[in-house]
Amino acid sequence: MTATQYQNQLHPKPTQINSPPYLGLVCVTISKEVRFRSITRSRYLKLSLKERESVLRELYQDNLQRLDTALSFCHKNNIRLYRMTSALFPMSDMEEGIGANILEEMRGELSKIGEKSEALAIRMVLHPDQFVVLSSDSAEVVQTSIKILARHAYILDLLGLPRSPWSLMNIHGGKSQRSEQLVRVISELPPEIKNRLTLENDEYAYGSPEILAVCEQTGIPMVFDAHHQVCYENLDSYNHPSVASMFYAAQQTWANQGWQLVHISNGETGFNHRKHSDLITAMPQVYYQAPWIEVEAKCKEEAIAHLRSWWLMRE
């Protein structure tokens, strides 16, 4: 039995409600209803070891409750996809191990979040920060990136989320023109990381065809971002033939095509502007075929409601 087959046996396919596309909330709400706390590294290092433990324990408990609140918010608003913040448990990777020990003590409480997400049929995903660069020409940066991914994978395990693209960790290609290294590094990742990993095309370094090729060689799914596509290729419409073509090509990288995830954003000051707008006012026609869509707009839940009002009226 392969590692993937073993994990699928441990974590059966989650139940899905058959009315996609599902629109996803990214991390927080525009209102104060879903917010998370943090602590800076400089402030943390000024604390004594005893103070660090006390501060982190209270912060982790609070953020876990806020994560529970986020799931309740999504359920109340019929949002079936939620992207967790990558800074949910800050300082949990510090060498002194205080944060990691606290998380281990909280294992039972953490697992209840995964149980709640399954009970509410809410898919939970993660987008690690920009410091994850598997294609870096620095061996130290690559190793640090793998450590970050391992920490995220450990937290997903503690939350009781499956080791599959259902609970994906999505990253960008990183340093340009280093596809061969990207393929090599991904191929050597441990299963708890690789089985969750997805790659997204971006607007600067890796266009859709190049990321698609990496995904095909490594066997990991591609998260297609239509706005990155139009920015990278300088297109004037989401309905340019290449957008639909890349959407369907990305779909083929998903072993379970019902799990395919895509991103949508609009330009802030113009169609090709890279910064995200408050609301989504333009959508690719092909996205009606997307099972899951993360809405990357500044107005968060208001952008989801707006999309439902004019684009997804059948919800």
Side-chain angles (χ1 to χ4, degrees):
M1 179 180 294
T2 67
T4 300
Q5 290 170 330
Y6 177 67
Q7 285 304 323
N8 288 340
Q9 187 181 69
L10 288 179
H11 302 283
K13 176 182 175 181
T15 301
Q16 297 184 44
I17 300 171
N18 296 318
S19 58
Y22 302 124
L23 305 180
L25 176 67
V26 175
C27 300
V28 299
T29 54
I30 192 70
S31 70
K32 298 295 183 182
E33 193 159 352
V34 178
R35 285 286 190 273
F36 295 92
R37 293 173 52 199
S38 190
I39 184 173
T40 64
R41 183 182 179 90
S42 59
R43 181 191 163 204
Y44 180 78
L45 293 176
K46 291 177 182 178
L47 301 174
S48 67
L49 292 180
K50 184 175 181 180
E51 289 172 329
R52 292 179 188 180
E53 181 174 359
S54 176
V55 167
L56 287 190
R57 189 180 303 278
E58 194 271 333
L59 191 155
Y60 288 4
Q61 290 282 357
D62 195 10
N63 274 359
L64 192 62
Q65 180 57 52
R66 291 169 187 244
L67 183 58
D68 183 88
T69 298
L71 289 178
S72 296
F73 176 89
C74 288
H75 179 62
K76 181 178 66 176
N77 290 278
N78 193 28
I79 296 171
R80 303 295 179 186
L81 172 64
Y82 179 63
R83 182 202 289 183
M84 294 178 285
T85 172
S86 61
L88 189 62
F89 301 115
M91 307 302 145
S92 62
D93 60 345
M94 297 294 286
E95 290 185 0
E96 92 279 280
I98 294 174
N101 291 338
I102 294 171
L103 286 178
E104 187 61 36
E105 293 172 13
M106 294 171 60
R107 178 180 287 271
E109 298 166 75
L110 286 158
S111 68
K112 291 179 182 178
I113 293 294
E115 294 170 3
K116 180 171 180 173
S117 70
E118 184 174 3
L120 297 180
I122 297 173
R123 183 181 183 182
M124 301 175 72
V125 299
L126 187 66
H127 197 327
D129 60 36
Q130 72 272 17
F131 298 111
V132 174
V133 185
L134 297 181
S135 58
S136 174
D137 51 12
S138 165
E140 182 179 358
V141 170
V142 172
Q143 287 306 309
T144 299
S145 298
I146 294 172
K147 287 180 181 179
I148 292 172
L149 290 174
R151 174 55 49 180
H152 287 315
Y154 173 66
I155 291 172
L156 293 177
D157 281 346
L158 290 177
L159 290 169
L161 300 176
R163 291 182 175 182
S164 75
W166 175 261
S167 302
L168 61 83
M169 298 190 295
N170 184 56
I171 63 172
H172 293 284
K175 191 173 179 63
S176 63
Q177 300 180 351
R178 294 181 65 82
S179 294
E180 289 185 6
Q181 173 172 316
L182 195 53
V183 169
R184 177 180 59 78
V185 173
I186 290 173
S187 298
E188 296 172 355
L189 291 172
E192 62 269 23
I193 297 175
K194 186 179 178 183
N195 289 354
R196 291 181 170 119
L197 200 65
T198 61
L199 274 179
E200 176 187 352
N201 60 299
D202 64 70
E203 68 271 56
Y204 296 108
Y206 286 89
S208 301
E210 195 168 8
I211 281 295
L212 174 66
V214 173
C215 288
E216 289 174 338
Q217 291 176 67
T218 56
I220 67 172
M222 174 179 170
V223 171
F224 177 64
D225 188 307
H227 190 64
H228 289 170
Q229 168 82 353
V230 302
C231 290
Y232 190 94
E233 302 290 349
N234 195 29
L235 305 178
D236 60 3
S237 170
Y238 283 127
N239 293 324
H240 187 278
S242 68
V243 174
S245 175
M246 289 310 308
F247 169 84
Y248 287 119
Q251 188 178 71
Q252 295 303 310
T253 66
W254 292 79
N256 185 333
Q257 293 183 7
W259 291 3
Q260 183 189 15
L261 178 66
V262 300
H263 289 179
I264 189 61
S265 55
N266 287 173
E268 184 178 53
T269 60
F271 186 72
N272 298 106
H273 195 249
R274 289 176 169 84
K275 289 187 178 180
H276 294 171
S277 59
D278 290 342
L279 302 174
I280 304 296
T281 57
M283 286 286 282
Q285 182 69 21
V286 74
Y287 269 21
Y288 281 115
Q289 307 302 316
W292 303 87
I293 305 173
E294 278 189 32
V295 180
E296 297 184 316
K298 292 180 181 177
C299 284
K300 305 291 185 175
E301 74 278 16
E302 293 178 8
I304 292 175
H306 181 65
L307 259 179
R308 286 173 171 170
S309 72
W310 72 270
W311 185 74
L312 205 57
M313 294 178 290
R314 64 188 179 191
E315 272 207 344

